[in-house]
Amino acid sequence: TISVWGPKLGIKFSTTKTKYMIFTKKNVNLTKSDGSEMNLDFYGKPIERVFSYKYLGLIFDPSLTWRLHINYLVERCQKPLSVLQSVAHKNWGADRKSLAGLYLAIVQSKINYGDFIYGSAAETHLKKLDRIQFQGLRIIGGNLKCTPVDSLEPELNILPLSHKRNLNGLKYMGRIYRIESHPTRTCFEQFYHYDEYDRRNHKGSFPLPVVGRLKVL
């Protein structure tokens, strides 16, 4: 369908850049009746099946666990945290307000991108990002590792990441409803939080879609 639709608009898609992924938590093997592997063709050429793919800055995996993306974020935040540590020298370093602004700009901005989408990840994965924030807050305040973070976030006027995810999601939803021609507005208007999702909320099932999670908020 795509190969027929493209030329009508004067577009030819690249076969080398085209991949496919099956979103499922089951083991899916694409095999023919004779046991050989089944391939999807595009312009007569086979497409590669992938098990992770970076699209618009987010790394998708077949089970939508977001584990790979969160691990990628943790790695990306290490260098900015080192920069923050260097600027926070106790003798000649910047003051708290400047350090907090720097942290929000070079560290938390990376975490906030698409955060309400990958917010369905398991708590064990999201806690990895919380540890990044805790490390940054302790650098800003010049505190020891044993300092409770619950007291640092209000003191530095920095929201917990869980609250920030909800806030960014609600802002996005508000923007959708303000723009009538927004491409994803239909998804929000036609979605209803049926009990079906509650029944599916068991081990091995996908989490509630991002539209449903934002509407529940």
Side-chain angles (χ1 to χ4, degrees):
T1 301
I2 296 174
S3 61
V4 172
W5 171 75
K8 292 180 180 178
L9 299 178
I11 299 172
K12 185 175 181 180
F13 297 97
S14 171
T15 54
T16 57
K17 294 181 180 178
T18 304
K19 318 288 181 186
Y20 80 92
M21 182 188 299
I22 300 175
F23 291 98
T24 179
K25 290 197 173 185
K26 298 179 181 178
N27 244 339
V28 177
N29 295 318
L30 298 181
T31 55
K32 300 179 183 178
S33 56
D34 59 0
S36 60
E37 186 177 354
M38 184 184 299
N39 293 318
L40 296 179
D41 293 338
F42 194 46
Y43 294 131
K45 296 182 180 179
I47 308 174
E48 179 189 0
R49 181 184 178 185
V50 295
F51 294 90
S52 67
Y53 194 80
K54 189 176 182 180
Y55 181 69
L56 296 178
L58 295 174
I59 300 176
F60 291 80
D61 61 89
S63 300
L64 291 179
T65 62
W66 302 106
R67 178 180 60 85
L68 297 176
H69 180 69
I70 290 175
N71 289 342
Y72 166 74
L73 283 179
V74 171
E75 186 177 345
R76 279 197 70 199
C77 290
Q78 296 306 318
K79 190 173 181 179
L81 281 174
S82 300
V83 173
L84 190 69
Q85 181 74 67
S86 302
V87 180
H89 196 279
K90 63 180 180 179
N91 294 329
W92 47 262
D95 58 87
R96 279 191 173 191
K97 185 177 180 180
S98 301
L99 288 173
L102 185 62
Y103 166 77
L104 294 175
I106 67 175
V107 180
Q108 200 186 84
S109 61
K110 293 178 172 58
I111 298 174
N112 291 158
Y113 178 76
D115 55 359
F116 62 92
I117 297 175
Y118 69 74
S120 61
E123 284 297 321
T124 51
H125 299 320
L126 295 175
K127 282 181 180 178
K128 297 176 184 177
L129 299 177
D130 288 335
R131 284 194 285 270
I132 293 293
Q133 170 136 314
F134 299 163
Q135 187 177 348
L137 295 182
R138 290 187 179 110
I139 292 173
I140 295 170
N143 305 99
L144 300 174
K145 289 184 178 181
C146 58
T147 307
V149 183
D150 293 342
S151 61
L152 288 179
E153 287 172 334
E155 183 181 344
L156 298 173
N157 197 27
I158 293 178
L159 282 175
L161 292 181
S162 58
H163 293 356
K164 190 68 175 176
R165 284 192 292 271
N166 292 338
L167 179 61
N168 288 339
L170 292 173
K171 284 182 178 179
Y172 177 73
M173 188 166 66
R175 189 159 60 247
I176 286 173
Y177 282 113
R178 286 198 307 270
I179 304 173
E180 292 187 5
S181 59
H182 200 287
T184 59
R185 181 168 178 168
T186 306
C187 299
F188 278 79
E189 289 178 341
Q190 295 183 355
F191 180 88
Y192 296 94
H193 183 209
Y194 290 121
D195 292 338
E196 172 193 357
Y197 290 104
D198 294 328
R199 292 195 297 269
R200 286 172 49 190
N201 189 20
H202 57 81
K203 188 176 181 181
S205 66
F206 283 107
L208 185 68
V210 60
V211 178
R213 286 188 283 114
L214 292 179
K215 282 204 165 188
V216 168
L217 291 175

mmCIF file with all atom_site columns, all heavy atoms in Angstrom, residues 12-31:
data_model
loop_
_atom_site.group_PDB
_atom_site.id
_atom_site.type_symbol
_atom_site.label_atom_id
_atom_site.label_alt_id
_atom_site.label_comp_id
_atom_site.label_asym_id
_atom_site.label_entity_id
_atom_site.label_seq_id
_atom_site.pdbx_PDB_ins_code
_atom_site.Cartn_x
_atom_site.Cartn_y
_atom_site.Cartn_z
_atom_site.occupancy
_atom_site.B_iso_or_equiv
_atom_site.pdbx_formal_charge
_atom_site.auth_seq_id
_atom_site.auth_comp_id
_atom_site.auth_asym_id
_atom_site.auth_atom_id
_atom_site.pdbx_PDB_model_num
ATOM 1   N N   . LYS A 1 12 ? 9.577  8.616   -3.223 1.00 0.00 ? 12 LYS A N   1
ATOM 2   C CA  . LYS A 1 12 ? 10.095 7.251   -3.260 1.00 0.00 ? 12 LYS A CA  1
ATOM 3   C C   . LYS A 1 12 ? 10.844 6.998   -1.953 1.00 0.00 ? 12 LYS A C   1
ATOM 4   O O   . LYS A 1 12 ? 11.808 7.683   -1.632 1.00 0.00 ? 12 LYS A O   1
ATOM 5   C CB  . LYS A 1 12 ? 11.031 7.030   -4.449 1.00 0.00 ? 12 LYS A CB  1
ATOM 6   C CG  . LYS A 1 12 ? 11.483 5.586   -4.553 1.00 0.00 ? 12 LYS A CG  1
ATOM 7   C CD  . LYS A 1 12 ? 12.310 5.320   -5.799 1.00 0.00 ? 12 LYS A CD  1
ATOM 8   C CE  . LYS A 1 12 ? 12.710 3.845   -5.867 1.00 0.00 ? 12 LYS A CE  1
ATOM 9   N NZ  . LYS A 1 12 ? 13.519 3.547   -7.061 1.00 0.00 ? 12 LYS A NZ  1
ATOM 10  N N   . PHE A 1 13 ? 10.391 6.013   -1.196 1.00 0.00 ? 13 PHE A N   1
ATOM 11  C CA  . PHE A 1 13 ? 10.978 5.723   0.103  1.00 0.00 ? 13 PHE A CA  1
ATOM 12  C C   . PHE A 1 13 ? 12.267 4.917   -0.059 1.00 0.00 ? 13 PHE A C   1
ATOM 13  O O   . PHE A 1 13 ? 12.404 4.119   -0.987 1.00 0.00 ? 13 PHE A O   1
ATOM 14  C CB  . PHE A 1 13 ? 9.981  4.952   0.972  1.00 0.00 ? 13 PHE A CB  1
ATOM 15  C CG  . PHE A 1 13 ? 8.733  5.719   1.281  1.00 0.00 ? 13 PHE A CG  1
ATOM 16  C CD1 . PHE A 1 13 ? 7.583  5.521   0.530  1.00 0.00 ? 13 PHE A CD1 1
ATOM 17  C CD2 . PHE A 1 13 ? 8.703  6.654   2.297  1.00 0.00 ? 13 PHE A CD2 1
ATOM 18  C CE1 . PHE A 1 13 ? 6.426  6.225   0.798  1.00 0.00 ? 13 PHE A CE1 1
ATOM 19  C CE2 . PHE A 1 13 ? 7.550  7.366   2.580  1.00 0.00 ? 13 PHE A CE2 1
ATOM 20  C CZ  . PHE A 1 13 ? 6.413  7.159   1.824  1.00 0.00 ? 13 PHE A CZ  1
ATOM 21  N N   . SER A 1 14 ? 13.186 5.129   0.873  1.00 0.00 ? 14 SER A N   1
ATOM 22  C CA  . SER A 1 14 ? 14.454 4.398   0.854  1.00 0.00 ? 14 SER A CA  1
ATOM 23  C C   . SER A 1 14 ? 14.260 3.002   1.441  1.00 0.00 ? 14 SER A C   1
ATOM 24  O O   . SER A 1 14 ? 13.785 2.856   2.562  1.00 0.00 ? 14 SER A O   1
ATOM 25  C CB  . SER A 1 14 ? 15.508 5.155   1.660  1.00 0.00 ? 14 SER A CB  1
ATOM 26  O OG  . SER A 1 14 ? 16.669 4.376   1.835  1.00 0.00 ? 14 SER A OG  1
ATOM 27  N N   . THR A 1 15 ? 14.628 1.988   0.678  1.00 0.00 ? 15 THR A N   1
ATOM 28  C CA  . THR A 1 15 ? 14.494 0.610   1.167  1.00 0.00 ? 15 THR A CA  1
ATOM 29  C C   . THR A 1 15 ? 15.547 0.290   2.223  1.00 0.00 ? 15 THR A C   1
ATOM 30  O O   . THR A 1 15 ? 15.316 -0.534  3.104  1.00 0.00 ? 15 THR A O   1
ATOM 31  C CB  . THR A 1 15 ? 14.617 -0.377  0.000  1.00 0.00 ? 15 THR A CB  1
ATOM 32  O OG1 . THR A 1 15 ? 15.842 -0.124  -0.707 1.00 0.00 ? 15 THR A OG1 1
ATOM 33  C CG2 . THR A 1 15 ? 13.454 -0.235  -0.964 1.00 0.00 ? 15 THR A CG2 1
ATOM 34  N N   . THR A 1 16 ? 16.716 0.954   2.143  1.00 0.00 ? 16 THR A N   1
ATOM 35  C CA  . THR A 1 16 ? 17.771 0.673   3.117  1.00 0.00 ? 16 THR A CA  1
ATOM 36  C C   . THR A 1 16 ? 17.457 1.271   4.486  1.00 0.00 ? 16 THR A C   1
ATOM 37  O O   . THR A 1 16 ? 17.906 0.774   5.514  1.00 0.00 ? 16 THR A O   1
ATOM 38  C CB  . THR A 1 16 ? 19.121 1.219   2.620  1.00 0.00 ? 16 THR A CB  1
ATOM 39  O OG1 . THR A 1 16 ? 18.988 2.628   2.358  1.00 0.00 ? 16 THR A OG1 1
ATOM 40  C CG2 . THR A 1 16 ? 19.548 0.517   1.341  1.00 0.00 ? 16 THR A CG2 1
ATOM 41  N N   . LYS A 1 17 ? 16.663 2.368   4.503  1.00 0.00 ? 17 LYS A N   1
ATOM 42  C CA  . LYS A 1 17 ? 16.318 3.012   5.765  1.00 0.00 ? 17 LYS A CA  1
ATOM 43  C C   . LYS A 1 17 ? 14.994 2.498   6.336  1.00 0.00 ? 17 LYS A C   1
ATOM 44  O O   . LYS A 1 17 ? 14.627 2.857   7.450  1.00 0.00 ? 17 LYS A O   1
ATOM 45  C CB  . LYS A 1 17 ? 16.220 4.524   5.564  1.00 0.00 ? 17 LYS A CB  1
ATOM 46  C CG  . LYS A 1 17 ? 17.546 5.188   5.222  1.00 0.00 ? 17 LYS A CG  1
ATOM 47  C CD  . LYS A 1 17 ? 17.377 6.691   5.049  1.00 0.00 ? 17 LYS A CD  1
ATOM 48  C CE  . LYS A 1 17 ? 18.698 7.357   4.713  1.00 0.00 ? 17 LYS A CE  1
ATOM 49  N NZ  . LYS A 1 17 ? 18.548 8.812   4.490  1.00 0.00 ? 17 LYS A NZ  1
ATOM 50  N N   . THR A 1 18 ? 14.292 1.677   5.577  1.00 0.00 ? 18 THR A N   1
ATOM 51  C CA  . THR A 1 18 ? 13.000 1.163   6.030  1.00 0.00 ? 18 THR A CA  1
ATOM 52  C C   . THR A 1 18 ? 13.195 -0.119  6.822  1.00 0.00 ? 18 THR A C   1
ATOM 53  O O   . THR A 1 18 ? 13.820 -1.069  6.339  1.00 0.00 ? 18 THR A O   1
ATOM 54  C CB  . THR A 1 18 ? 12.072 0.899   4.828  1.00 0.00 ? 18 THR A CB  1
ATOM 55  O OG1 . THR A 1 18 ? 11.939 2.106   4.075  1.00 0.00 ? 18 THR A OG1 1
ATOM 56  C CG2 . THR A 1 18 ? 10.701 0.450   5.304  1.00 0.00 ? 18 THR A CG2 1
ATOM 57  N N   . LYS A 1 19 ? 12.681 -0.155  8.036  1.00 0.00 ? 19 LYS A N   1
ATOM 58  C CA  . LYS A 1 19 ? 12.749 -1.336  8.905  1.00 0.00 ? 19 LYS A CA  1
ATOM 59  C C   . LYS A 1 19 ? 11.344 -1.683  9.373  1.00 0.00 ? 19 LYS A C   1
ATOM 60  O O   . LYS A 1 19 ? 10.420 -0.888  9.226  1.00 0.00 ? 19 LYS A O   1
ATOM 61  C CB  . LYS A 1 19 ? 13.640 -1.081  10.132 1.00 0.00 ? 19 LYS A CB  1
ATOM 62  C CG  . LYS A 1 19 ? 14.932 -0.336  9.844  1.00 0.00 ? 19 LYS A CG  1
ATOM 63  C CD  . LYS A 1 19 ? 15.932 -1.172  9.103  1.00 0.00 ? 19 LYS A CD  1
ATOM 64  C CE  . LYS A 1 19 ? 17.220 -0.376  8.871  1.00 0.00 ? 19 LYS A CE  1
ATOM 65  N NZ  . LYS A 1 19 ? 18.187 -1.114  8.030  1.00 0.00 ? 19 LYS A NZ  1
ATOM 66  N N   . TYR A 1 20 ? 11.194 -2.839  9.956  1.00 0.00 ? 20 TYR A N   1
ATOM 67  C CA  . TYR A 1 20 ? 9.904  -3.166  10.556 1.00 0.00 ? 20 TYR A CA  1
ATOM 68  C C   . TYR A 1 20 ? 10.108 -3.833  11.913 1.00 0.00 ? 20 TYR A C   1
ATOM 69  O O   . TYR A 1 20 ? 11.121 -4.485  12.166 1.00 0.00 ? 20 TYR A O   1
ATOM 70  C CB  . TYR A 1 20 ? 9.054  -4.041  9.629  1.00 0.00 ? 20 TYR A CB  1
ATOM 71  C CG  . TYR A 1 20 ? 9.393  -5.510  9.612  1.00 0.00 ? 20 TYR A CG  1
ATOM 72  C CD1 . TYR A 1 20 ? 8.741  -6.408  10.471 1.00 0.00 ? 20 TYR A CD1 1
ATOM 73  C CD2 . TYR A 1 20 ? 10.330 -6.020  8.721  1.00 0.00 ? 20 TYR A CD2 1
ATOM 74  C CE1 . TYR A 1 20 ? 9.029  -7.764  10.449 1.00 0.00 ? 20 TYR A CE1 1
ATOM 75  C CE2 . TYR A 1 20 ? 10.624 -7.373  8.686  1.00 0.00 ? 20 TYR A CE2 1
ATOM 76  C CZ  . TYR A 1 20 ? 9.979  -8.236  9.549  1.00 0.00 ? 20 TYR A CZ  1
ATOM 77  O OH  . TYR A 1 20 ? 10.277 -9.577  9.531  1.00 0.00 ? 20 TYR A OH  1
ATOM 78  N N   . MET A 1 21 ? 9.133  -3.609  12.786 1.00 0.00 ? 21 MET A N   1
ATOM 79  C CA  . MET A 1 21 ? 9.169  -4.162  14.135 1.00 0.00 ? 21 MET A CA  1
ATOM 80  C C   . MET A 1 21 ? 7.783  -4.656  14.502 1.00 0.00 ? 21 MET A C   1
ATOM 81  O O   . MET A 1 21 ? 6.780  -4.019  14.145 1.00 0.00 ? 21 MET A O   1
ATOM 82  C CB  . MET A 1 21 ? 9.613  -3.087  15.141 1.00 0.00 ? 21 MET A CB  1
ATOM 83  C CG  . MET A 1 21 ? 9.722  -3.582  16.573 1.00 0.00 ? 21 MET A CG  1
ATOM 84  S SD  . MET A 1 21 ? 10.028 -2.225  17.766 1.00 0.00 ? 21 MET A SD  1
ATOM 85  C CE  . MET A 1 21 ? 11.595 -1.611  17.174 1.00 0.00 ? 21 MET A CE  1
ATOM 86  N N   . ILE A 1 22 ? 7.718  -5.778  15.187 1.00 0.00 ? 22 ILE A N   1
ATOM 87  C CA  . ILE A 1 22 ? 6.443  -6.327  15.652 1.00 0.00 ? 22 ILE A CA  1
ATOM 88  C C   . ILE A 1 22 ? 6.322  -6.018  17.142 1.00 0.00 ? 22 ILE A C   1
ATOM 89  O O   . ILE A 1 22 ? 7.151  -6.443  17.941 1.00 0.00 ? 22 ILE A O   1
ATOM 90  C CB  . ILE A 1 22 ? 6.368  -7.847  15.411 1.00 0.00 ? 22 ILE A CB  1
ATOM 91  C CG1 . ILE A 1 22 ? 6.495  -8.134  13.917 1.00 0.00 ? 22 ILE A CG1 1
ATOM 92  C CG2 . ILE A 1 22 ? 5.061  -8.414  15.952 1.00 0.00 ? 22 ILE A CG2 1
ATOM 93  C CD1 . ILE A 1 22 ? 6.550  -9.608  13.580 1.00 0.00 ? 22 ILE A CD1 1
ATOM 94  N N   . PHE A 1 23 ? 5.286  -5.263  17.498 1.00 0.00 ? 23 PHE A N   1
ATOM 95  C CA  . PHE A 1 23 ? 5.078  -4.909  18.903 1.00 0.00 ? 23 PHE A CA  1
ATOM 96  C C   . PHE A 1 23 ? 4.253  -5.996  19.573 1.00 0.00 ? 23 PHE A C   1
ATOM 97  O O   . PHE A 1 23 ? 3.052  -6.128  19.324 1.00 0.00 ? 23 PHE A O   1
ATOM 98  C CB  . PHE A 1 23 ? 4.377  -3.554  19.014 1.00 0.00 ? 23 PHE A CB  1
ATOM 99  C CG  . PHE A 1 23 ? 5.247  -2.405  18.584 1.00 0.00 ? 23 PHE A CG  1
ATOM 100 C CD1 . PHE A 1 23 ? 5.144  -1.883  17.313 1.00 0.00 ? 23 PHE A CD1 1
ATOM 101 C CD2 . PHE A 1 23 ? 6.179  -1.868  19.456 1.00 0.00 ? 23 PHE A CD2 1
ATOM 102 C CE1 . PHE A 1 23 ? 5.948  -0.832  16.903 1.00 0.00 ? 23 PHE A CE1 1
ATOM 103 C CE2 . PHE A 1 23 ? 6.990  -0.813  19.063 1.00 0.00 ? 23 PHE A CE2 1
ATOM 104 C CZ  . PHE A 1 23 ? 6.877  -0.298  17.783 1.00 0.00 ? 23 PHE A CZ  1
ATOM 105 N N   . THR A 1 24 ? 4.896  -6.777  20.391 1.00 0.00 ? 24 THR A N   1
ATOM 106 C CA  . THR A 1 24 ? 4.240  -7.872  21.100 1.00 0.00 ? 24 THR A CA  1
ATOM 107 C C   . THR A 1 24 ? 5.130  -8.325  22.238 1.00 0.00 ? 24 THR A C   1
ATOM 108 O O   . THR A 1 24 ? 6.343  -8.079  22.220 1.00 0.00 ? 24 THR A O   1
ATOM 109 C CB  . THR A 1 24 ? 3.973  -9.053  20.150 1.00 0.00 ? 24 THR A CB  1
ATOM 110 O OG1 . THR A 1 24 ? 3.350  -10.116 20.881 1.00 0.00 ? 24 THR A OG1 1
ATOM 111 C CG2 . THR A 1 24 ? 5.248  -9.580  19.532 1.00 0.00 ? 24 THR A CG2 1
ATOM 112 N N   . LYS A 1 25 ? 4.533  -8.977  23.230 1.00 0.00 ? 25 LYS A N   1
ATOM 113 C CA  . LYS A 1 25 ? 5.318  -9.567  24.318 1.00 0.00 ? 25 LYS A CA  1
ATOM 114 C C   . LYS A 1 25 ? 5.460  -11.070 24.139 1.00 0.00 ? 25 LYS A C   1
ATOM 115 O O   . LYS A 1 25 ? 5.962  -11.760 25.008 1.00 0.00 ? 25 LYS A O   1
ATOM 116 C CB  . LYS A 1 25 ? 4.665  -9.243  25.664 1.00 0.00 ? 25 LYS A CB  1
ATOM 117 C CG  . LYS A 1 25 ? 4.791  -7.771  26.032 1.00 0.00 ? 25 LYS A CG  1
ATOM 118 C CD  . LYS A 1 25 ? 4.536  -7.533  27.497 1.00 0.00 ? 25 LYS A CD  1
ATOM 119 C CE  . LYS A 1 25 ? 4.831  -6.082  27.857 1.00 0.00 ? 25 LYS A CE  1
ATOM 120 N NZ  . LYS A 1 25 ? 4.702  -5.820  29.296 1.00 0.00 ? 25 LYS A NZ  1
ATOM 121 N N   . LYS A 1 26 ? 4.987  -11.544 22.987 1.00 0.00 ? 26 LYS A N   1
ATOM 122 C CA  . LYS A 1 26 ? 5.106  -12.969 22.691 1.00 0.00 ? 26 LYS A CA  1
ATOM 123 C C   . LYS A 1 26 ? 6.277  -13.202 21.747 1.00 0.00 ? 26 LYS A C   1
ATOM 124 O O   . LYS A 1 26 ? 6.774  -12.282 21.101 1.00 0.00 ? 26 LYS A O   1
ATOM 125 C CB  . LYS A 1 26 ? 3.816  -13.488 22.055 1.00 0.00 ? 26 LYS A CB  1
ATOM 126 C CG  . LYS A 1 26 ? 2.595  -13.366 22.949 1.00 0.00 ? 26 LYS A CG  1
ATOM 127 C CD  . LYS A 1 26 ? 1.359  -13.871 22.233 1.00 0.00 ? 26 LYS A CD  1
ATOM 128 C CE  . LYS A 1 26 ? 0.119  -13.736 23.109 1.00 0.00 ? 26 LYS A CE  1
ATOM 129 N NZ  . LYS A 1 26 ? -1.108 -14.186 22.400 1.00 0.00 ? 26 LYS A NZ  1
ATOM 130 N N   . ASN A 1 27 ? 6.704  -14.451 21.650 1.00 0.00 ? 27 ASN A N   1
ATOM 131 C CA  . ASN A 1 27 ? 7.747  -14.822 20.710 1.00 0.00 ? 27 ASN A CA  1
ATOM 132 C C   . ASN A 1 27 ? 7.122  -15.031 19.346 1.00 0.00 ? 27 ASN A C   1
ATOM 133 O O   . ASN A 1 27 ? 6.367  -15.986 19.151 1.00 0.00 ? 27 ASN A O   1
ATOM 134 C CB  . ASN A 1 27 ? 8.444  -16.115 21.149 1.00 0.00 ? 27 ASN A CB  1
ATOM 135 C CG  . ASN A 1 27 ? 9.889  -15.879 21.467 1.00 0.00 ? 27 ASN A CG  1
ATOM 136 O OD1 . ASN A 1 27 ? 10.467 -14.896 21.024 1.00 0.00 ? 27 ASN A OD1 1
ATOM 137 N ND2 . ASN A 1 27 ? 10.488 -16.779 22.222 1.00 0.00 ? 27 ASN A ND2 1
ATOM 138 N N   . VAL A 1 28 ? 7.402  -14.154 18.416 1.00 0.00 ? 28 VAL A N   1
ATOM 139 C CA  . VAL A 1 28 ? 6.798  -14.247 17.094 1.00 0.00 ? 28 VAL A CA  1
ATOM 140 C C   . VAL A 1 28 ? 7.884  -14.572 16.080 1.00 0.00 ? 28 VAL A C   1
ATOM 141 O O   . VAL A 1 28 ? 8.832  -13.800 15.901 1.00 0.00 ? 28 VAL A O   1
ATOM 142 C CB  . VAL A 1 28 ? 6.105  -12.924 16.696 1.00 0.00 ? 28 VAL A CB  1
ATOM 143 C CG1 . VAL A 1 28 ? 5.550  -13.024 15.292 1.00 0.00 ? 28 VAL A CG1 1
ATOM 144 C CG2 . VAL A 1 28 ? 4.995  -12.604 17.681 1.00 0.00 ? 28 VAL A CG2 1
ATOM 145 N N   . ASN A 1 29 ? 7.750  -15.726 15.449 1.00 0.00 ? 29 ASN A N   1
ATOM 146 C CA  . ASN A 1 29 ? 8.674  -16.123 14.394 1.00 0.00 ? 29 ASN A CA  1
ATOM 147 C C   . ASN A 1 29 ? 7.942  -16.111 13.064 1.00 0.00 ? 29 ASN A C   1
ATOM 148 O O   . ASN A 1 29 ? 6.926  -16.792 12.902 1.00 0.00 ? 29 ASN A O   1
ATOM 149 C CB  . ASN A 1 29 ? 9.242  -17.524 14.660 1.00 0.00 ? 29 ASN A CB  1
ATOM 150 C CG  . ASN A 1 29 ? 10.099 -17.561 15.906 1.00 0.00 ? 29 ASN A CG  1
ATOM 151 O OD1 . ASN A 1 29 ? 10.894 -16.657 16.146 1.00 0.00 ? 29 ASN A OD1 1
ATOM 152 N ND2 . ASN A 1 29 ? 9.928  -18.605 16.718 1.00 0.00 ? 29 ASN A ND2 1
ATOM 153 N N   . LEU A 1 30 ? 8.443  -15.305 12.147 1.00 0.00 ? 30 LEU A N   1
ATOM 154 C CA  . LEU A 1 30 ? 7.812  -15.228 10.837 1.00 0.00 ? 30 LEU A CA  1
ATOM 155 C C   . LEU A 1 30 ? 8.354  -16.342 9.956  1.00 0.00 ? 30 LEU A C   1
ATOM 156 O O   . LEU A 1 30 ? 9.401  -16.218 9.320  1.00 0.00 ? 30 LEU A O   1
ATOM 157 C CB  . LEU A 1 30 ? 8.091  -13.860 10.198 1.00 0.00 ? 30 LEU A CB  1
ATOM 158 C CG  . LEU A 1 30 ? 7.536  -12.652 10.947 1.00 0.00 ? 30 LEU A CG  1
ATOM 159 C CD1 . LEU A 1 30 ? 7.862  -11.379 10.199 1.00 0.00 ? 30 LEU A CD1 1
ATOM 160 C CD2 . LEU A 1 30 ? 6.033  -12.767 11.096 1.00 0.00 ? 30 LEU A CD2 1
ATOM 161 N N   . THR A 1 31 ? 7.650  -17.459 9.936  1.00 0.00 ? 31 THR A N   1
ATOM 162 C CA  . THR A 1 31 ? 8.084  -18.605 9.133  1.00 0.00 ? 31 THR A CA  1
ATOM 163 C C   . THR A 1 31 ? 6.961  -19.059 8.210  1.00 0.00 ? 31 THR A C   1
ATOM 164 O O   . THR A 1 31 ? 5.776  -18.961 8.542  1.00 0.00 ? 31 THR A O   1
ATOM 165 C CB  . THR A 1 31 ? 8.503  -19.785 10.027 1.00 0.00 ? 31 THR A CB  1
ATOM 166 O OG1 . THR A 1 31 ? 7.429  -20.100 10.923 1.00 0.00 ? 31 THR A OG1 1
ATOM 167 C CG2 . THR A 1 31 ? 9.748  -19.429 10.830 1.00 0.00 ? 31 THR A CG2 1
#
